Every structure is written in structure tokens, then in C-alpha cells.
């Protein structure tokens, strides 16, 4: 018994054009600038993904936790949520950590956990395209640079600023912080 199978024109062009329509928005999204909140620690400027920032508050002395590491300043009650407060200046080894009127706490949402980060001051929100972000420099094993995503280069006229782009989830989730369950990702 012979069967005749009707051949239809290939649907490859329709599939290819659908793939192109899907790829175009993805490529455009990757090319879109990413927004970072810039802040100062000592003389350096850092940036974190703005999507991790819940709010910015003025610094208030937290309730101290006994036997906590020096950079874990204590906890505060933020509308019924007990929030650990980490002084990023102490954690990242700044020479001094003075509390002034400019000192603020950036309240972060990291892995569904609310954490406060003490910084010297907050500058602004910056949109950086991929062409403005350079790879993090390679460091020797004695320097923990796992939390550095890259260096943002911002040019304004003749002045160029460098912004240390921080993976706040990697920093807050590091084992020495003791704030996150390392098994969760």
C-alpha cells in the first residue's frame, strides 16, 4: 500500500521570524541601562542595584547584640520587622567610621530578608549601560573581591568618576556575615 503524503511548505521562516521577534526585546533589555544607587564609604564611591533598595533612613543607634562581630552594629525595629544593621564602612575596612548628620542606613531586601547597611552618605541613582561598566580587576587570594561586579565609569564633562559596583547579595550572604542561610540562593 502506497501512501501519498502531502508536503507543505516549510514553516521555518515563520519560526525564524518569531524567534527574531523574541530575541529583539531580550537584546534590547540587555542593552538597557541598569540603575544603581550610589553611596560613599570613606573616600570611595560604591553602587548597588537599585532594585535591592527598600528605603533610605537616617542613622539611629541600633540595639546592640552581645558577642556580635564589630561590623554588626545591632538591630532596629522597622515597622514591626527586626532588622540587623551592618556598618559597611567597618565591614569593608574603611579607616574611620564616624557617625554624622550625613550617615544613613540603606534598607535592603536581599534574598527575601531585610537588612540595613550603614554608609557615609547616599549620592544619587545612576543609569549605567553595558559600555559604562568595566570588568572588576583580578585580585590576589588575600583580597576578597567576590562581591565586586565591576567598575562603573561615569564621565561628566572632563571629570570621570569610578563607581565600585557591589553585588550586595554576595556581600550580605557571605559566610562571615552570618546573616543568611548559605544554602538559599
Amino acid at each position: 500500500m502506497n501512501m501519498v503524503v502531502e508536503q507543505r511548505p516549510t514553516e521555518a521562516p515563520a519560526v525564524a521570524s518569531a524567534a527574531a521577534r523574541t530575541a529583539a526585546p531580550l537584546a534590547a533589555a540587555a542593552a538597557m541601562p541598569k540603575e544603581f544607587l550610589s553611596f560613599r564609604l570613606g573616600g570611595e564611591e560604591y553602587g548597588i542595584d537599585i532594585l535591592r533598595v527598600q528605603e533610605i533612613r537616617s542613622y539611629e543607634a541600633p540595639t546592640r547584640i552581645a558577642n556580635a562581630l564589630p561590623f554588626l552594629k545591632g538591630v532596629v525595629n522597622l515597622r514591626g520587622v527586626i532588622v540587623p544593621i551592618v556598618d559597611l564602612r567597618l565591614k569593608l575596612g574603611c579607616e574611620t567610621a564616624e557617625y554624622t548628620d550625613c550617615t544613613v542606613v540603606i534598607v535592603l531586601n536581599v534574598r527575601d530578608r531585610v537588612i540595613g547597611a550603614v554608609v557615609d552618605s547616599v549620592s544619587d541613582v545612576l543609569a549605567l549601560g553595558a559600555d559604562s561598566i568595566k570588568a572588576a580587576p583580578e585580585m590576589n587570594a588575600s583580597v576578597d573581591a567576590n562581591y565586586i561586579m565591576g567598575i562603573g565609569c561615569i564621565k561628566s564633562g572632563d571629570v570621570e568618576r569610578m563607581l565600585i559596583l557591589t553585588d550586595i547579595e554576595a556581600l550580605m550572604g557571605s559566610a562571615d556575615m552570618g546573616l543568611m542561610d548559605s544554602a538559599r540562593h
Side-chain angles (χ1 to χ4, degrees):
M1 176 179 206
N2 288 343
M3 288 182 99
V4 177
V5 177
E6 182 182 335
Q7 285 189 324
R8 293 185 183 170
T10 179
E11 294 180 23
V15 171
S17 66
R21 284 192 307 269
T22 303
L26 294 176
M32 289 178 57
K34 190 169 183 180
E35 291 186 327
F36 295 89
L37 175 68
S38 66
F39 60 90
R40 297 196 74 76
L41 296 174
E44 304 304 323
E45 192 171 16
Y46 291 78
I48 55 175
D49 184 351
I50 192 68
L51 297 177
R52 298 282 180 219
V53 177
Q54 185 172 311
E55 65 182 280
I56 300 166
R57 302 175 52 89
S58 59
Y59 178 78
E60 60 182 71
T63 301
R64 190 177 159 279
I65 301 291
N67 297 321
L69 294 168
F71 55 80
L72 184 58
K73 301 309 289 177
V75 295
V76 297
N77 186 340
L78 181 61
R79 294 182 295 282
V81 176
I82 303 302
V83 178
I85 302 296
V86 174
D87 193 324
L88 285 185
R89 302 167 307 173
L90 298 175
K91 169 65 179 147
L92 298 178
C94 290
E95 293 175 11
T96 61
E98 296 176 19
Y99 297 92
T100 68
D101 291 340
C102 293
T103 304
V104 295
V105 175
I106 303 172
V107 179
L108 304 162
N109 191 326
V110 179
R111 293 189 204 160
D112 297 324
R113 177 101 192 258
V114 179
I115 301 170
V118 179
V119 300
D120 288 328
S121 63
V122 172
S123 304
D124 49 12
V125 176
L126 300 168
L128 298 177
D131 59 334
S132 298
I133 300 174
K134 308 300 179 205
E138 290 190 26
M139 305 282 190
N140 66 27
S142 66
V143 177
D144 181 12
N146 290 330
Y147 64 88
I148 299 176
M149 296 179 354
I151 305 295
C153 298
I154 303 120
K155 191 163 185 159
S156 177
D158 291 338
V159 178
E160 185 173 60
R161 297 168 32 200
M162 288 198 314
L163 191 68
I164 301 167
L165 302 177
T166 305
D167 181 347
I168 200 67
E169 188 168 315
L171 180 61
M172 293 298 186
S174 63
D176 68 327
M177 294 289 272
L179 295 172
M180 309 264 174
D181 177 3
S182 59
R184 282 181 65 193
H185 291 288

